[in-house]
Amino acid sequence: MGQIMSVKFFLSSLFFCLVLMLSGCGVTPVIDEPRTIVIGKSSIAEAGAALDEYRLRMVPIWASGQLFYKEFVGGKRKEHLKFNPANLRFIPDRRMYFGANLVIGGEAIRLGSNDEEFWLRMRPKEVDRYWSGNWKQLENCREQLLLSPKVMLEALGVISVDSSWRIVNQPGIDVLVKYDGVGLPLKKIYVRTSDYLIDKIEYYGKGILVAVEVKLSGYKKIADNVSVPGNIMITSFDEGAVQSTMEVRFKRIKRFEPSAKQLRVLFKPADSKGIENVYRLNENCQFMLE
């Protein structure tokens, strides 16, 4: 009973974050380990070209590990859930499968996307929910799922910026910033100048405070000039206070060589059959109950 209540609390909290989500944070970036300071890019065009170059040389990824969820109330941890295993399969640019199992109860989370669609399924009967939509609609929305295909893809390095962004050079870090029409930040990307890998991403809500922060560390090289973060920490904030954290710890990472069956099965929308609460993203950036 205790575990069921914890799962229900976790999924309910995730649904609440869904409605309000954006993300970001104002904490000074932490570098994994001491390194020689390298001068950053001289312009947003140069930074964008480096990110585009990296994205184009990305390779399919196979990773396996664990997912840890913590909920905080008044600065104190209230809930702690462990999902094991947590498996990632990714083929650039947008074909992704991420599944996480509870020790008791089987698959609890399935997150995925292909070139057209994205989806997130929470399967336990106590709080079963399913969200989906198409990429074209999502690109114009501020609100996002806390655990979303877009966040996961950006954590892996699928990021692009254009001339509407701005660059701020800091020692060892290039900060790439996207602003809205009134000059408020929408997103900040912290890029390590030493290797131009992502150190942190901040997503902002309707103000100057970070709503969600994604910190990346423990990079592992799996191909020439391609590295994968072994640790992905997603933190949500409420008026500057930590609300929850989701930490993905990959124990094994390697190049993915999919079979024909995996190509057919892994990257098609998850089945929503039997799930009571099914939501679809509409033209107004709202997830509506179908």
Side-chain angles (χ1 to χ4, degrees):
M1 177 62 73
Q3 185 177 35
I4 291 175
M5 292 303 294
S6 294
V7 173
K8 185 173 182 179
F9 189 86
F10 160 62
L11 296 178
S12 299
S13 299
L14 187 59
F15 174 69
F16 177 75
C17 290
L18 152 77
V19 181
L20 302 176
M21 241 21 312
L22 254 163
S23 56
C25 177
V27 182
T28 302
V30 177
I31 308 301
D32 286 348
E33 37 185 61
R35 55 174 61 87
T36 301
I37 299 299
V38 177
I39 296 175
K41 305 303 182 185
S42 61
S43 66
I44 193 64
E46 189 177 350
L51 293 175
D52 287 342
E53 181 183 350
Y54 182 83
R55 192 179 71 253
L56 290 174
R57 66 173 180 258
M58 293 183 75
V59 299
I61 297 168
W62 182 105
S64 181
Q66 299 172 324
L67 170 66
F68 300 87
Y69 173 81
K70 296 178 183 179
E71 182 81 17
F72 297 87
V73 176
K76 297 182 179 180
R77 193 181 76 188
K78 185 173 182 179
E79 297 291 340
H80 184 194
L81 292 172
K82 177 180 177 181
F83 298 80
N84 185 34
N87 293 310
L88 171 73
R89 307 291 183 266
F90 165 69
I91 298 178
D93 271 351
R94 287 180 167 173
R95 284 183 287 178
M96 183 186 64
Y97 161 87
F98 179 80
N101 289 25
L102 283 168
V103 177
I104 300 176
E107 185 183 76
I109 299 171
R110 179 175 292 191
L111 176 71
S113 63
N114 54 34
D115 291 339
E116 294 81 30
E117 299 274 317
F118 66 90
W119 53 90
L120 171 61
R121 182 177 70 188
M122 300 294 188
R123 199 158 207 174
K125 294 181 179 178
E126 293 77 21
V127 278
D128 57 338
R129 291 189 175 95
Y130 184 99
W131 300 272
S132 66
N134 66 63
W135 285 112
K136 186 176 180 180
Q137 290 174 322
L138 185 65
E139 292 298 333
N140 297 318
C141 297
R142 290 175 62 100
E143 289 75 18
Q144 307 216 7
L145 296 163
L146 174 58
L147 180 62
S148 79
K150 186 173 179 61
V151 168
M152 187 66 75
L153 289 173
E154 291 187 338
L156 294 173
V158 184
I159 287 180
S160 61
V161 301
D162 57 31
S163 59
S164 67
W165 289 65
R166 297 291 180 266
I167 185 170
V168 178
N169 300 117
Q170 295 181 358
I173 291 286
D174 280 350
V175 185
L176 314 181
V177 188
K178 175 73 171 179
Y179 293 99
D180 65 13
V182 296
L184 294 175
L186 290 171
K187 184 190 299 186
K188 292 183 180 181
I189 303 171
Y190 295 75
V191 190
R192 306 187 322 199
T193 58
S194 58
D195 49 21
Y196 237 66
L197 294 174
I198 307 301
D199 185 71
K200 182 173 68 174
I201 307 172
E202 296 175 343
Y203 303 84
Y204 289 75
K206 296 182 173 76
I208 62 173
L209 295 178
V210 170
V212 173
E213 172 194 72
V214 180
K215 296 190 72 172
L216 309 169
S217 59
Y219 277 93
K220 178 180 179 180
K221 184 176 179 180
I222 62 169
D224 290 341
N225 297 316
V226 176
S227 297
V228 179
N231 187 283
I232 302 172
M233 173 66 83
I234 304 172
T235 304
S236 68
F237 298 87
D238 181 13
E239 297 297 323
V242 175
Q243 187 176 41
S244 64
T245 64
M246 289 187 196
E247 182 181 11
V248 182
R249 301 177 190 170
F250 290 129
K251 295 183 176 180
R252 298 178 61 201
I253 305 172
K254 63 182 182 180
R255 189 163 181 160
F256 182 35
E257 298 178 357
S259 64
K261 180 178 180 181
Q262 287 174 319
L263 289 174
R264 289 196 310 270
V265 174
L266 289 180
F267 310 112
K268 67 178 184 179
D271 187 7
S272 62
K273 183 178 180 181
I275 295 180
E276 182 177 355
N277 303 293
V278 178
Y279 299 86
R280 182 73 181 178
L281 185 67
N282 66 16
E283 297 290 343
N284 297 318
C285 294
Q286 297 172 318
F287 283 96
M288 301 299 294
L289 187 64
E290 293 187 336

